[in-house]
């Protein structure tokens, strides 16, 4: 009987392992090349006008249905699959007036598949350029137009939480502002504020829409210009609750849930080259005392 020396067996084993390793690297190399080609093809497909118009319609329709208001955009663009750019982004409030308009809204996402599977949607950066935000609360009204929009998101999360065990989680890390006009007209408190901001950065620590809590680590504002006007207010009066015990308990719970305001906690604020102006029209319009 022929006998193969031990060193020949070891040599052929090592040779087989080397061939297996080389073959595995070759397969991985072709696999990565195939994925890269798919990404390139997908990127070129997303640049096509028909594809972009379709995506634009889908995004704005989805947002309009979720927020129950009009949401529009002039153009949409995807960059490297983790960046979304909306040009001419417009959100309408319940009165048919402008709540938010931004010439350019850009967002970058964390494409961690494990987070997406767990419904943890992490938005790393949001850029608002040439934007105008108008928050309005009419006299004797409980909520302003922004509160009503945010409540739609909160109610949607609670509805999904009742149906499924894991509700979606939305988080935002950084908000970058460029050329922002802000108007807040609160006729219940009798306070109107107008602000212009050249540049700004907001670092968000915690965004808990379900519990109406926003924690901000830091705010940095450059060249802000604030004007605050105090006027006669028209306080909100809660509606009377039904005398029925069952209805009263239910309405009380719903009223307490609705009246829970959004709470914003800010750790640090930095302001450079700011201007502040305050006018009190209450005193100006007050009748003179006659002696």
């Amino acid at each position: 009987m022929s006998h193969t020396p031990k060193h020949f067996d070891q040599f052929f084993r090592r040779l087989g392992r080397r061939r297996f390793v080389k073959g595995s690297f070759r397969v991985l190399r072709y696999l990565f090349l195939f994925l890269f080609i798919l990404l390139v093809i997908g990127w070129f497909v997303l640049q096509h006008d028909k594809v972009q118009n379709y995506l634009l319609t889908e995004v704005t329709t989805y947002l309009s249905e979720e927020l129950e208001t009009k949401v529009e955009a002039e153009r949409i663009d995807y960059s490297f699959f983790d960046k979304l750019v909306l040009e001419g982004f417009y959100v309408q409030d319940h009165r048919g007036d402008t709540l938010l308009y931004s010439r350019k809204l850009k967002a970058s996402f964390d494409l961690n598949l494990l987070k997406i599977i767990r419904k943890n949607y992490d938005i790393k950066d949001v850029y608002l350029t040439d934007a105008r935000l108008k928050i309005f609360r009419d006299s004797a009204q409980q909520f302003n137009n922004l509160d009503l929009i945010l409540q739609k998101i909160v109610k949607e999360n609670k509805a999904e939480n009742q149906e499924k065990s894991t509700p979606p989680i939305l988080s935002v890390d950084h908000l970058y502002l460029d050329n922002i006009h802000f108007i807040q007209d609160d006729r219940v408190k009798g306070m109107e504020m107008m602000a212009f901001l050249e540049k700004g950065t907001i670092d968000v620590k915690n965004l808990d829409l379900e519990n109406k809590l926003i924690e901000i680590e830091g705010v940095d504002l450059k060249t802000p210009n604030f004007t605050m006007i105090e006027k006669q207010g028209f306080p909100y009066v809660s509606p009377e609750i039904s005398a029925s015990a069952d209805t009263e308990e239910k309405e009380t719970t719903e009223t307490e849930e609705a009246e829970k305001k959004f709470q914003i906690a800010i750790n640090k604020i930095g302001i450079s080259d700011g201007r502040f102006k305050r006018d009190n029209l209450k005193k100006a319009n007050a009748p003179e005392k006659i002696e």
Side-chain angles (χ1 to χ4, degrees):
M1 294 181 61
S2 61
H3 178 70
T4 304
K6 182 182 291 186
H7 62 274
F8 278 106
D9 292 338
Q10 295 176 351
F11 169 75
F12 285 116
R13 289 196 189 100
R14 287 198 298 268
L15 182 62
R17 285 196 294 266
R18 289 177 182 176
R19 289 178 177 175
F20 175 78
V21 171
K22 289 183 178 180
S24 300
F25 277 116
R26 188 180 297 111
V27 171
L28 289 175
R29 185 169 62 249
Y30 286 129
L31 178 61
F32 281 119
L33 180 61
F34 176 72
L35 292 176
F36 176 76
I37 294 174
L38 281 182
L39 289 174
V40 173
I41 294 175
W43 185 83
F44 278 106
V45 169
L46 288 175
Q47 306 311 306
H48 197 277
D49 290 340
K50 290 185 178 181
V51 176
Q52 289 189 351
N53 291 334
Y54 171 77
L55 293 175
L56 181 62
T57 303
E58 290 294 314
V59 170
T60 53
T61 301
Y62 172 79
L63 292 175
S64 298
E65 292 176 352
E66 291 296 314
L67 301 179
E68 299 181 14
T69 189
K70 186 176 182 180
V71 178
E72 294 181 338
E74 298 174 359
R75 186 175 179 273
I76 190 172
D77 183 27
Y78 279 101
S79 302
F80 300 104
F81 300 94
D82 64 342
K83 292 181 178 62
L84 173 67
V85 179
L86 292 172
E87 296 182 0
F89 183 68
Y90 169 80
V91 180
Q92 191 178 83
D93 66 8
H94 63 287
R95 300 177 301 115
D97 199 359
T98 300
L99 172 63
L100 172 66
Y101 173 81
S102 180
R103 184 180 64 83
K104 180 180 289 186
L105 170 63
K106 180 180 176 181
S108 60
F109 305 91
D110 185 355
L111 297 182
N112 189 317
L113 292 178
L114 185 59
K115 288 185 177 181
I116 295 176
I117 293 174
R118 294 177 177 176
K119 297 182 181 179
N120 187 351
Y121 306 117
D122 186 8
I123 302 176
K124 295 187 291 185
D125 301 312
V126 176
Y127 298 84
L128 277 178
T129 304
D130 299 335
R132 181 162 59 97
L133 174 65
K134 183 178 181 181
I135 300 178
F136 176 79
R137 178 164 65 155
D138 205 350
S139 56
Q141 294 294 315
Q142 184 178 8
F143 301 106
N144 61 44
N145 54 356
L146 181 59
D147 286 331
L148 295 175
I149 294 294
L150 293 177
Q151 285 176 14
K152 303 294 183 182
I153 302 176
V154 173
K155 288 181 180 179
E156 184 68 23
N157 286 346
K158 288 186 176 180
E160 293 191 17
N161 191 15
Q162 293 176 356
E163 295 177 1
K164 303 175 184 179
S165 57
T166 55
I169 299 174
L170 175 65
S171 62
V172 179
D173 295 338
H174 307 285
L175 177 62
Y176 299 96
L177 308 174
D178 185 6
N179 190 26
I180 307 298
H181 291 263
F182 171 76
I183 300 175
Q184 182 177 8
D185 187 359
D186 193 330
R187 298 184 180 178
V188 173
K189 294 181 178 180
M191 188 268 291
E192 183 177 358
M193 180 165 51
M194 295 167 285
F196 168 75
L197 178 65
E198 183 177 322
K199 297 282 185 180
T201 304
I202 300 176
D203 299 324
V204 183
K205 182 179 179 181
N206 180 31
L207 180 62
D208 189 352
L209 296 179
E210 185 174 356
N211 295 313
K212 298 186 177 182
L213 175 63
I214 302 175
E215 295 179 280
I216 297 175
E217 180 61 29
V219 177
D220 184 21
L221 306 179
K222 295 182 179 179
T223 321
N225 193 336
F226 292 95
T227 300
M228 182 179 295
I229 303 174
E230 294 185 46
K231 302 179 291 186
Q232 180 65 39
F234 300 90
Y236 167 75
V237 180
S238 300
E240 294 182 359
I241 301 176
S242 173
S244 172
D246 295 336
T247 306
E248 181 177 355
E249 182 179 355
K250 180 180 179 181
E251 291 186 357
T252 301
T253 304
E254 292 178 351
T255 302
E256 291 176 351
E257 183 71 20
E259 289 183 348
K260 184 179 179 182
K261 303 287 186 181
F262 274 89
Q263 296 180 349
I264 301 177
I266 302 176
N267 186 24
K268 295 182 296 183
I269 298 180
I271 299 176
S272 59
D273 299 329
R275 295 183 179 182
F276 299 86
K277 181 182 178 182
R278 178 175 173 269
D279 293 329
N280 192 340
L281 299 185
K282 292 181 181 179
K283 295 181 179 180
N285 297 329
E288 295 183 1
K289 183 177 180 181
I290 301 176
E291 296 181 354

